[in-house]
Amino acid sequence: MADIQIIEEPEVSPGSRLAVVASRYNRAVVDRLLDGCLETLADKGIPASAVTVIRTPGAFELPVVAKRLAAGGEVDAVIALGAVIRGETPHFDYVAGECARGLAAVAVEHALPVIYGVLTVDSEEQARARAGGGHGNKGTEAALTALEMIAIMHKLGP
């Protein structure tokens, strides 16, 4: 076991560049996710000049923007933030499923961390609880995950 290399919880990589793609739909919730994300990045030493925030109309549009960013090669990670709240129609299933599938496809295609910070919940109460309420802030978690993944990818090399 002594010869096994374990790469886990590395330090923040200096010079990291990130993009945060945040939906405007369910803005009250997403803005709280975005605040948590940006505060965490700043607390971890990422300068504001190294972060680009792009707002999309909704969660369905997050993957196409993430793909453009990934293809540009100027960011080390993309953090996608949104909130899809179940309603009375199957719209939730299509939006949430395609958003997740699209973001995962971008990550794999470009070997780039694309962090899924999209809430998929049954109610606004559940969304608020996960956007700075009783269940923490998933925007904060997304920022921490992005930083860890950037460090892992740098450690692994090209």
Side-chain angles (χ1 to χ4, degrees), residues 79-109:
I79 300 170
L81 302 175
V84 184
I85 301 171
R86 188 177 303 278
E88 297 177 5
T89 68
H91 183 256
F92 170 91
D93 298 316
Y94 296 113
V95 172
E98 291 307 313
C99 178
R101 245 185 308 284
L103 292 171
V106 171
V108 171
E109 178 182 345

Side-chain angles (χ1 to χ4, degrees), residues 5-139:
Q5 180 183 11
I6 298 175
I7 300 172
E8 182 180 26
E9 298 185 41
E11 296 295 319
V12 173
S13 296
S16 297
R17 299 157 303 152
L18 297 99
V20 181
V21 185
S23 167
R24 286 191 319 266
Y25 199 79
N26 291 317
R27 188 171 198 134
V29 171
V30 178
D31 283 354
R32 290 168 64 182
L33 295 172
L34 181 58
D35 290 345
C37 178
L38 296 176
E39 288 172 13
T40 301
L41 293 174
D43 289 348
K44 292 295 183 179
I46 305 298
S49 61
V51 180
T52 300
V53 176
I54 301 169
R55 298 304 292 251
T56 63
F60 192 81
E61 293 77 25
L62 294 171
V64 71
V65 175
K67 182 171 178 132
R68 176 67 64 93
L69 290 162
E74 295 187 12
V75 296
D76 298 300
V78 175
I79 300 170
L81 302 175
V84 184
I85 301 171
R86 188 177 303 278
E88 297 177 5
T89 68
H91 183 256
F92 170 91
D93 298 316
Y94 296 113
V95 172
E98 291 307 313
C99 178
R101 245 185 308 284
L103 292 171
V106 171
V108 171
E109 178 182 345
H110 293 277
L112 181 81
V114 178
I115 310 307
Y116 189 78
V118 179
L119 301 179
T120 52
V121 294
D122 290 324
S123 68
E124 286 186 38
E125 180 182 342
Q126 289 177 346
R128 286 190 302 274
R130 288 157 179 77
H135 288 281
N137 189 314
K138 299 302 179 184

Side-chain angles (χ1 to χ4, degrees), residues 1-7 155:
M1 293 288 286
D3 294 337
I4 296 174
Q5 180 183 11
I6 298 175
I7 300 172
K155 180 85 173 175

